[in-house]
Each structure stands twice: as structure tokens, then as C-alpha cells.
Amino acid sequence: MMAQPTVMSGSFERKSLSLSAPGGRRPRLLLAEDCDPMRIVTAAMLKGMGCDVEAVVHGEQAVNSAAESRFDVIVLDIEMPVMDGITAARSIRRMGGEAAATPLMALSAFLADSVRTGDWRDTFDIALPKPANRNELHEAVKAALNREPAESVRPAETLPPLLDEPRLSEIRRAITPSDWRQISDGACRDIESCIGELEHVHCGPRDGAMLASAATLATLGRSFAARRLDWAAQKFQRACSEAARHEALAVLISSARDTVQILRS
């Protein structure tokens, strides 16, 4: 069984973005996406980062292209006509040689709750929910090109502050005390619900429900200036190995509990 894929999710500062393949050359990417607007926009963003992109509309075309040419990364939408992304990815893996070793990225709007989540986890190296913004796409492709876990970008032992105090103060000043109490109480209930979900299934493999809870916690973290909660949720989503997932889950649950305590204080 392959290592669990990195799941890219989160927000990054907008900056000048570029990508390079090993040796500094221009990366060559294969993109399979049946939605015309999504394919055009994604290809344009990748080209703007310095990539050469071959774009096709379904999995069978992607398999043929992978057999004929060498690519640095192959990006496959999960849901496509003719041949879906999972079937195409498995076909590429069976080719052997350079094609089989090419990093494969899953691109889908249904990564967290798809009934086929186990299929893409066992096949792809990177998973990116869509629609993805320019920064998220850059981080995912960079991780694939460098073949390194995305969580290594931030050292595991370095925890961000629990709260962004100035931003939280700004949020609280913008509403009345009674409105703040009502909103924060609702957020705490949502966080506790996610904690319960994560604790209920923590002994099993990371599944769609756990990823959905992590995504909810990341959103709540950003909404309430809870920096550590947002970071911990993204760390869990990106964890590749079983050991990294267990470690990230413990940090996420602890961060969620600390966030509830401080929001209710």
C-alpha cells in the first residue's frame, strides 16, 4: 500500500509564486479536468507559475499522454467522464518505469466526503480540494515536485500562539457583548461537536468524517482568530504517515479544547 497522500488545504499570503523542477528547469505537468472553465483557469495559474502544461479532458487521455511523454506531476480530477481519475491513476501506476513513479495529485470538490475516499488515498501522493486558489495550488505542486511532506514547511515542534489577540479584540469590538456571547457559544458547541467526532473515530484510519471535522475546525479557527486551532487542523489534514496522523490528531484535539476554554472565559 502506498503512503497516505498529503491533503493540501488552508490559506497562504499572496506573493510572487514560481515553480521549478529539480535542477531548476521548467516543470512539465499533465492536467486532466473535464470542466472547461476549471481546466482553463487551473492551467493558466500553473503556466503563470512557470510550468509547461498539457491539458486533457478525461482520464483515458491522461493515461495515453502519460504513456507517451514524461511529466513531473500529473494532476487528475477524481470525477471525469470516459475514465475517472482514480482509474486513470491506477492505470498509470501499472505502467512501470518513469510514468509509474510520477507524483500523482488528486483534484476534487468531494475529497472529504467521497464514498471512494479510501481509493484515492491509496493511489495518489497529493490531494487538493477544489476550487483551489493560486497559493494553495502552488503549495500542492511544490510539495509534489519536492517529494516532501507539506507539514515539514512548519517544524512540528513549533506551535503558533493559541490566539491572534489583536485580531480577536478587533472582532469583539465590532459587535455587542451579547452578540459576541451568542456567537462564541455557538462556535464552542461546534468545536466540541468536532472534538467528539475526532475522539469517536480516532482509533481507526483517517476517514472522510475526520477530514470534514478538521476542515470545520480550520474554518472556525480562522473565523475566531484561533491561530493554533487553524494550524493544527491543517497539520492533521496534511499528515502523511500513521505516526504523523496520530501526533497531529492529539495536537488538534488539545488545541480545540484550549480554544473552547479561552472563548468561554
Side-chain angles (χ1 to χ4, degrees), residues 64-76:
N64 292 337
S65 294
E68 295 170 357
S69 303
R70 181 186 179 282
F71 297 94
D72 294 296
V73 180
I74 297 175
V75 184
L76 302 170

Side-chain angles (χ1 to χ4, degrees), residues 6 13 15 19 35 43 68 72 84 89 102 106 133-134 140 156 172 180 189 193 200 205-206 211 214 239-240 250:
T6 301
E13 292 184 11
K15 53 186 177 181
L19 293 165
C35 175
E68 295 170 357
D72 294 296
D84 63 48
T102 304
N133 64 38
R134 177 172 172 268
R172 297 191 64 166
W180 164 255
R189 288 193 295 270
S193 176
H200 177 68
R206 183 180 58 181
L211 287 173
C240 295

